[in-house]
Amino acid sequence: MKPVLGARLRACVLASVASFICTMAASAGESPMLEALVSSGDLPPLAERIPASPLVVTPVDRVGDYGGNWHSALMGGSDDGWILRTLSYENLMRWSPDWTEVIPNIAESVEVNDDATEFTFKLREGMRWSDGAPFTADDIRFWYEDLFRNPQFTPSAQEPFINTDGSPVAFEMIDEVTFKFTFANPKGLFLQYLATARPLDNAAVRYPRHYLEQFHPDYSDDIDAEISAAGQADWVGLLTSKANFWANPDVPTINPWVFTTGYGSGDASRANAERNPYYWKVDTEGNQLPYIDTRTFDILSDPQVLVTKTLAGEIDFQDRSLATPANRPVLFEGRERGGYEFFEQTPASPNYMIMMFNLNHRDPVLEELFQNKDFRIGLSHGMDRQEILDVVWIGQGEVAQTSVMPGSVYYNEQLAKQYTEYDVDLANEYLDKVLPERGGDGMRLRPDGQPLAISFAYSAAVPIFGDALELVAAQWEKIGIRMVPTPLDRTLIQTRQDAGELEGVAWERGGGAGQEVVLDPRWWFPSNNDSYYWAPAWTAWFLDVNPETAQVQPEEPPEAARRQMELYGELQASPDPEEQVRLMNEILDIAAEEFWTMGVAWQANGYGVKKTNFLNVPASMPASWIYPTPAPTNPEQYFIEAQ
C-alpha cells in the first residue's frame, strides 16, 4: 500500500498549506452553553464526546470567542446550496483552503496502492454522531450494502463509486474504523471526487445506521405503517426524507451545527440550527469547534429583501443570492451604516461568456465550416472584446479566451491570449480562405452558395449574454458574418444540445481554476455531458453511448481529440499528483493548438459580505461550486467577536 500523507497521519500529524494539524492540545475548552449541560449531567464531558485524534483546525486570524448567532438567508423553499456550502461540507476527504490539494477530513488517513485501485480509509476512533452514537465503518457498510447496492434506492451506480464499465466499486469493512474500496481499474481521481460538493461524493458518510434502519424494509417489521405515517409512496421516499438533515431535525449528523427547526417543508419563514455537542474538530488550543453557537436562516422570496436586510446590519455573512455585480454599488455605499465589509472571491470560471460552435452539426456544410479552425480564428479576430467588456461588464475583467485562470499550475498563455487582437483586416484574411464569396448585401455565403446566418443560443434567464451577443453580431457583420442572438429556455437549450441541433451557444460555468480544471474539463476536450454544446458526436463516442439509444450518433473524433482522451485516461489512472498535472497540461497544450472554443474576457474578482465583527474569514477565497465556496475555509472556525 502507498500512504497518502500516510505515516504522519497515522502518527496524528498533518502539516500542510491547508493549515491543519492532527494533534490535540494539552488543554481543551468548549462553549459555555455546553459546559452548563455537562455540569447538569445532561451531557458527557468533552473528552468523552470527541475522537481520540480530533481534526485540529488552525484559525485564520486567532482562536475565536464562543457564542453568538450567525444570521444569513435562503431564497425560497429549496435553496439548499447555502446550507451545503456553510454547514455540511463534511466528506471523507476535503479540499485544502487554497484549493491546491486533497486532504483527509472524516478519514484520519487513507492509503492507496501503487496502481490506484485500492483505497483503504481509517476513521477517527471515538468519533460520534450528533446524538452521541458511535460513527464507525459499519455506517459506511450500511450505505454501501443497503442503499448504494440496493436497486430500488440506487437504480444505477454513478461516479465516483463506479468502475470504467459502469459496475459498482467493491467494499470491504476491515474493522470498526477501517474499510476499503476496490476498483477494477485505476481510479487516480477518486480522492479528488470525494472532496467535491456533488451530492454523491459524500453519500457514504451521510447515513447513520442506528437511526435509519427503522425506515428500511430489511430491518423494520412495521415499514408500511412508517411509510403511511410519513405520507410517502414507498420506503425509498421514506428513508430519503428521513435522511434529509435540513428537513428532518431528528436525523443525527456529523456537521458542526444541527437543525432544530427544519427547512424545506411548510410555510416556515425561518430555519434554525445549533452547535453539535459531539463535533469532532478542535482549534490549535484544543477548544471544541464550532465557535458560533447557533445559526438562523431567514427564508426569503425576494432577493431585494436580502439586500435591505444586509444594509440594515441584519446579515452576518453571505454571498449567495446577494453578492451580485448589480448589488455591488449599493452594498458598497451602505457598508458603514450596515456595519459590514467585503471579502474577495477569485473566480473559477474560464470566461464571462464561452462561445461555441457545434462541431458535429447535422448539416454537413455547417459541420465542415464550424470545424475549420481558420473560420474560428477569423471570427475571433473580428470580435472587439474590449468594447464588449466595457459596455456589458463595465470594464471589470481582462480580455481572454476560454482558458484556465492565471496563477494556476494549469495556466496556458497561448490558450488564454491567442487570437484576441481585434483586427478587421486579419479577420477578413482568415475568413476569405474559407468563405470567399459574398452576396449582394456584403454578407458571406456558405460553401454551397446559400446565405449564411448563424443562430447563437443563450439562456433567456441570463439577459446579459443577449447584450454581449448583440455587440458581437454587430461586429461580425462588419466582416460579412450574420449572427442572430437567440434567447431560449434553458431546458430547451439542453434538449437541443443533447440532440446535436444547436449551431452556436453561449455559456458560462466552471472549469477555470483549482482542481476544477481536472475534474470538469468540458471546455478543453469532449469529456462530459456539457461538452455536447460543442462536440456532441465526439463526446458520445468518448462516453461510449449506446448508438441504439443515442440522440446523437457517436462519431470517432479527430486525432487531436483522441490523443486528449488517451491522456485523460492516463491522468485518471495515475495516483501521482505531479503526473496528473503534467498530463493535464499536455491536454491543454492540444486544446490551445486546436482552439475548440472562444471567450470574451476573464471575470473580475467577486465579493462577499461579512459584518466587521465576524472574524476568521480569509481576505480572499476561490469562488466555485466544486470548491465549494466558502466551505473549505472552515466556517466552523468563523466567530463573532465578543463586545
Side-chain angles (χ1 to χ4, degrees):
M1 289 292 221
K2 178 181 178 180
V4 177
L5 306 176
R8 289 186 299 163
L9 277 172
R10 289 191 301 277
C12 219
V13 176
L14 172 60
S16 74
V17 294
S19 299
F20 277 82
I21 61 175
C22 258
T23 128
M24 179 86 172
S27 60
E30 61 184 325
S31 170
M33 71 179 287
L34 297 184
E35 288 179 345
L37 293 174
V38 173
S39 297
S40 67
D42 294 324
L43 192 67
L46 177 61
E48 298 177 19
R49 303 198 315 267
I50 59 177
S53 301
L55 184 59
V56 181
V57 180
T58 301
V60 170
D61 299 319
R62 65 173 176 85
V63 170
D65 303 326
Y66 279 122
N69 182 31
W70 172 356
H71 290 85
S72 61
L74 306 170
M75 297 307 301
S78 58
D79 185 20
D80 54 40
W82 184 241
I83 295 172
L84 298 174
R85 290 170 179 258
T86 64
L87 186 143
S88 66
Y89 180 57
E90 300 298 359
N91 298 11
L92 281 168
M93 307 296 291
R94 63 180 289 134
W95 296 116
S96 60
D98 63 358
W99 207 5
T100 60
E101 62 178 327
V102 177
I103 56 178
N105 188 48
I106 291 172
E108 181 180 354
S109 65
V110 57
E111 291 184 344
V112 184
N113 67 348
D114 290 338
D115 65 355
T117 57
E118 296 181 356
F119 297 80
T120 303
F121 294 89
K122 181 181 178 183
L123 300 175
R124 301 175 186 279
E125 292 189 26
M127 185 170 166
R128 297 179 180 276
W129 293 96
S130 56
D131 63 353
F135 175 89
T136 71
D138 197 44
D139 293 296
I140 316 297
R141 181 167 66 177
F142 171 70
W143 162 78
Y144 179 83
E145 295 179 351
D146 296 305
L147 302 178
F148 178 68
R149 294 304 309 274
N150 186 299
Q152 290 178 277
F153 196 88
T154 309
S156 61
Q158 298 179 35
E159 284 284 16
F161 300 101
I162 57 172
N163 296 301
T164 54
D165 64 358
S167 62
V169 64
F171 172 84
E172 177 188 358
M173 178 175 165
I174 298 172
D175 57 38
E176 287 297 300
V177 295
T178 314
F179 62 93
K180 179 168 66 175
F181 287 119
T182 302
F183 292 91
N185 310 98
K187 195 80 169 182
L189 295 179
F190 182 55
L191 298 182
Q192 295 194 40
Y193 281 125
L194 291 183
T196 75
R198 302 182 314 169
L200 289 175
D201 295 333
N202 73 341
V205 297
R206 287 179 44 223
Y207 296 96
R209 179 173 202 144
H210 70 284
Y211 175 76
L212 293 175
E213 277 185 341
Q214 62 185 311
F215 309 116
H216 195 292
D218 290 352
Y219 302 98
S220 173
D221 295 328
D222 201 21
I223 192 68
D224 290 336
E226 293 282 0
I227 294 170
S228 178
Q232 295 292 333
D234 53 28
W235 76 267
V236 173
L238 171 68
L239 195 144
T240 300
S241 66
K242 293 296 184 180
N244 185 340
F245 67 89
W246 59 78
N248 176 24
D250 293 332
V251 63
T253 79
I254 51 176
N255 300 326
W257 297 275
V258 295
F259 279 90
T260 54
T261 56
Y263 165 66
S265 58
D267 298 323
S269 61
R270 178 170 289 178
N272 298 286
E274 66 180 30
R275 65 168 52 255
N276 174 3
Y278 293 90
Y279 192 57
W280 42 281
K281 296 182 185 179
V282 298
D283 66 18
T284 48
E285 294 185 2
N287 302 303
Q288 186 187 30
L289 297 172
Y291 292 129
I292 295 173
D293 283 336
T294 56
R295 300 280 306 271
T296 294
F297 301 88
D298 288 325
I299 303 170
L300 309 176
S301 58
D302 182 357
Q304 189 56 44
V305 175
L306 177 55
V307 175
T308 301
K309 292 176 73 67
T310 304
L311 293 171
E314 298 175 13
I315 296 296
D316 291 303
F317 176 99
Q318 185 102 18
D319 61 0
R320 186 177 175 89
S321 304
L322 173 69
T324 66
N327 287 341
R328 186 193 287 262
V330 66
L331 290 173
F332 185 83
E333 290 297 324
R335 289 172 300 159
E336 184 174 354
R337 177 164 56 95
Y340 58 82
E341 59 193 3
F342 287 175
F343 59 91
E344 182 182 71
Q345 293 190 345
T346 56
S349 173
N351 214 270
Y352 270 125
M353 186 176 74
I354 298 162
M355 299 181 64
M356 299 161 279
F357 292 97
N358 182 356
L359 304 186
N360 304 136
H361 198 277
R362 289 180 173 180
D363 182 335
V365 175
L366 290 180
E367 179 183 54
E368 183 178 357
L369 176 63
F370 294 160
Q371 286 189 22
N372 191 308
K373 181 180 171 182
D374 285 338
F375 174 73
R376 301 194 299 274
I377 293 174
L379 292 182
S380 186
H381 280 303
M383 189 187 307
D384 187 343
R385 291 171 170 82
Q386 191 61 53
E387 180 187 32
I388 300 167
L389 185 62
D390 290 342
V391 173
V392 179
W393 285 285
I394 322 174
Q396 299 297 303
E398 180 181 341
V399 167
Q401 298 285 10
T402 305
S403 56
V404 181
M405 299 291 289
S408 168
V409 294
Y410 305 110
Y411 177 65
N412 185 302
E413 180 74 14
Q414 177 186 350
L415 185 63
K417 294 297 184 178
Q418 64 184 350
Y419 316 129
T420 55
E421 178 188 5
Y422 178 53
D423 188 325
V424 171
D425 291 337
L426 189 57
N428 280 320
E429 181 181 329
Y430 274 99
L431 291 175
D432 286 344
K433 299 177 187 178
V434 188
L435 301 171
E437 302 300 325
R438 299 191 185 219
D441 59 359
M443 295 294 100
R444 295 181 186 271
L445 303 177
R446 294 167 28 136
D448 59 3
Q450 298 297 314
L452 175 66
I454 302 168
S455 172
F456 233 92
Y458 68 94
S459 172
V462 189
I464 196 170
F465 282 8
D467 297 338
L469 288 174
E470 289 291 348
L471 285 174
V472 175
Q475 294 165 2
W476 282 357
E477 188 172 358
K478 297 176 183 177
I479 54 176
I481 298 295
R482 178 170 286 113
M483 184 265 278
V484 182
T486 309
L488 297 174
D489 179 81
R490 181 170 180 150
T491 302
L492 183 56
I493 291 178
Q494 293 287 150
T495 300
R496 293 187 179 179
Q497 165 206 10
D498 294 342
E501 296 174 349
L502 296 175
E503 294 180 1
V505 63
W507 209 253
E508 179 276 318
R509 187 170 178 251
Q515 295 305 308
E516 196 169 3
V517 177
V518 174
L519 294 174
D520 186 7
R522 69 181 72 175
W523 311 123
W524 322 128
F525 74 99
S527 56
N528 60 36
N529 288 337
D530 289 291
S531 303
Y532 272 71
Y533 286 120
W534 60 276
W538 299 345
T539 302
W541 185 87
F542 178 66
L543 298 178
D544 198 22
V545 174
N546 185 347
E548 295 182 3
T549 59
Q551 289 184 285
V552 177
Q553 287 300 301
E555 177 184 308
E556 184 175 355
E559 181 180 353
R562 292 200 309 273
R563 176 56 181 158
Q564 289 180 302
M565 294 169 181
E566 292 170 2
L567 291 167
Y568 195 66
E570 294 176 25
L571 186 156
Q572 290 178 302
S574 174
D576 183 350
E578 293 184 0
E579 179 66 3
Q580 291 175 2
V581 171
R582 186 192 70 77
L583 291 166
M584 190 67 216
N585 278 324
E586 190 171 344
I587 291 171
L588 294 172
D589 284 340
I590 297 174
E593 181 61 31
E594 297 302 318
F595 188 47
W596 301 123
T597 69
M598 68 180 72
V600 176
W602 288 320
Q603 294 183 9
N605 286 343
Y607 68 103
V609 172
K610 75 174 190 70
K611 296 292 286 291
T612 54
N613 66 336
F614 195 93
L615 304 183
N616 278 353
V617 178
S620 180
M621 65 184 74
S624 170
W625 169 240
I626 286 180
Y627 177 65
T629 314
T633 67
N634 304 303
E636 63 273 10
Q637 57 89 47
Y638 296 170
F639 74 96
I640 299 172
E641 189 172 35
Q643 300 298 310

